[in-house]
Every structure is written in C-alpha cells, then in structure tokens.
Amino acid sequence: QLHAEAVAIGAALKREPYAALGHLLQELQSRRNLPIDGPDQVELARLAPLAFGEVRASEAPMGAPRLHAALARWMRCLGEAGVRILMLDDVHHADPASQAALASLLMAQADAAAGAPTLLLAHRSGDIDAVLEAAAVDAQARHRARRIETPRLTLAGVQALLHAITHAHSLPQQPPDWAEQILRRTGGNPLFVIQLAHPWSPQGDRAGVDHLRPLLSASLQACAPAAQQLAAVAAVAGEHFSVELAAEVTGASALALMPAWRDLQRRGLF
C-alpha cells in the first residue's frame, strides 16, 4: 500500500472559498475511502459532498474552528490508513480559506498531532497568503517544519531539464546553444525555463514567451510599488542593470532599494 499521496491544486481553485480543500477531500476520499466519524463527515461534506456518499452536509453556519478540527481528525485517519506523507502541489493557487485551513494543520502538527501524515507543501516563493506563511515560520521556529528553496539552475541543470522536456514530448533536435539562450533569458528559474521551452505549441519560442508573460505579470502585481519600479528599470536596462544604475534612475539610495530587491528575489524575478 502506498505510504504517500499527492494532490495538485489548479489555478481555478483560487476563486471560491474552500474550493482547494474540497478538491483535496474529494481526491483522497475517492482513493482511500477513509472511515470518518459521522459528525466529521457531516462537517466535511459541506466542502466535498460527493466524497461522503449519502451524508447530508451540516446546515449550521460555517465555523472555521469546527471545520479545522474536523479536518485535523480526518488527517489522523489518513495517517492511520498508512499515509506518511501528503504532498500538495501549487499551494499558491489555493483560495484564502483553504490556505487558512492548511495553516491550522501546520500549527496542529507543530503541537505534535500524533498519527497525522507529514505535510509537504510546494508553492512559488512569496506567493502564499500571510496566514499560511506565518504558520510555516512558526512551525520552523519550533523545529517542526523545514523550508527547502529550489535553487536556480546552472547551465548543466537547464540542459538536463530541456533534455527531459525534449524526450518527453518527442521534440526535434534543438540548436546547440538552446540551453544557453534559455538560461540567459530566465536566469535559471526552473518555472520560467519550463514555460519558455513550452513544447506543445507549433509557434515555438513565441508560444513560450506568451505562456511566461502571465506568470511574470501575476508575480509583479503581487509586489510592492517600489519593487515594480525596480523591475521596470531592470527590464529596460537588461544586461546593463546594476544597483548603481537603479539608484540613479529611481533617486533612492542602494540601501533603500534592498527591501524591493529582496522582494523580487523572493519571488524568483531577480
């Protein structure tokens, strides 16, 4: 029996409260058919009615503490079923209510919730809500969690990733300097490498740029105005960009630019 489960969260789940959490429950209940106590079934059926068969969802006003407690008990049932690791991918796409629920699970784990599987949350740096970020930081402080940052790829890393993409999609042979071009344009950000090397469109590189643009736009919109201004200077200056040039253009000191610089680095834009 598998000791790990993985669920991906799609971008469409950002729009409706508890949509991501409902998706998680639906996916894992269909795979595991966990034996949940009646009251918890009634509570969780609000979010995933199809996951609990004929159970009639509670009609009482939604209360986050009650829901979070039921979710924690559901997690313990998942652990009792043999699941040791629960991976959630693209957590930055989760709606705020679901992220708050995940934060409560992290805090429960930090308080040593016996039997629950270890949570592995994958997300774009800087793109999760403050409540989930705070819970992660608190869990780290208690030595109950560890943050692993994905480093930027070297040329060898870009070559390996492009080779995997080419092999997976049976693409024709690419120019010898393809990896160098991609590295130069993405700075080794793995997400940007994948999007710029977008292999499932006949427009080639142009299609990759079109797929990359919405990602860059969304990341920039989440930045503070000072970071957006700094990014604009970098985009215009290109290879000639430097701290000194940014300070001259913006009229701010190099030290004053550092918070904006760190914000852009945290989001993988610098």
Side-chain angles (χ1 to χ4, degrees), residues 169 171-172 174 195-211:
H169 297 276
L171 298 180
Q174 300 297 322
Q195 292 299 322
L196 202 56
H198 210 274
W200 40 88
S201 173
Q203 285 85 31
D205 185 61
R206 179 66 200 176
V209 172
D210 289 343
H211 281 86

Side-chain angles (χ1 to χ4, degrees), residues 77-145:
C77 287
L78 196 59
E80 291 168 1
V83 177
R84 297 291 173 261
I85 299 173
L86 173 57
M87 177 184 175
L88 301 183
D89 197 13
D90 290 337
V91 172
H92 50 275
H93 288 322
D95 57 277
S98 292
Q99 291 199 36
L102 292 175
S104 77
L105 288 179
L106 276 182
M107 290 186 285
Q109 288 199 335
D111 290 329
T118 297
L119 275 175
L120 179 57
L121 306 180
H123 61 86
R124 290 203 298 258
S125 181
D127 274 2
I128 57 174
D129 289 358
V131 64
L132 183 53
E133 176 67 25
V137 170
D138 181 70
Q140 283 180 273
R142 301 192 199 190
H143 304 287
R144 296 277 182 180

Side-chain angles (χ1 to χ4, degrees), residues 1-8 24 27-28 31-32 34 74-75 78-88 116-120:
Q1 193 170 9
L2 292 175
H3 296 296
E5 290 284 3
V7 175
L24 168 65
E27 281 286 313
L28 292 187
R31 299 177 197 173
R32 294 280 177 170
L34 301 174
W74 176 81
M75 283 285 288
L78 196 59
E80 291 168 1
V83 177
R84 297 291 173 261
I85 299 173
L86 173 57
M87 177 184 175
L88 301 183
T118 297
L119 275 175
L120 179 57

Side-chain angles (χ1 to χ4, degrees), residues 10-28:
L13 300 177
K14 189 81 174 177
R15 302 168 190 158
E16 185 178 346
Y18 292 111
L21 190 55
H23 173 64
L24 168 65
L25 291 167
Q26 179 65 46
E27 281 286 313
L28 292 187

Side-chain angles (χ1 to χ4, degrees), residues 148-208:
I148 302 174
E149 296 282 353
T150 304
R152 289 177 178 270
L153 298 176
T154 62
L155 176 59
V158 172
Q159 289 171 332
L161 181 55
L162 293 179
H163 175 76
I165 293 173
T166 301
H167 179 74
H169 297 276
S170 302
L171 298 180
Q173 188 68 31
Q174 300 297 322
D177 64 342
W178 189 38
E180 294 179 8
Q181 293 179 32
I182 296 289
L183 177 62
R184 186 165 54 250
R185 299 178 68 179
T186 63
N189 184 310
L191 176 63
F192 295 165
V193 170
I194 292 170
Q195 292 299 322
L196 202 56
H198 210 274
W200 40 88
S201 173
Q203 285 85 31
D205 185 61
R206 179 66 200 176

Side-chain angles (χ1 to χ4, degrees), residues 239-264:
E239 296 180 357
H240 303 290
F241 179 73
S242 66
V243 176
E244 293 77 13
L245 176 62
E248 182 179 350
V249 172
T250 62
S253 68
L255 184 61
L257 289 173
M258 286 304 100
W261 195 292
R262 284 194 296 271
D263 188 15
L264 292 167

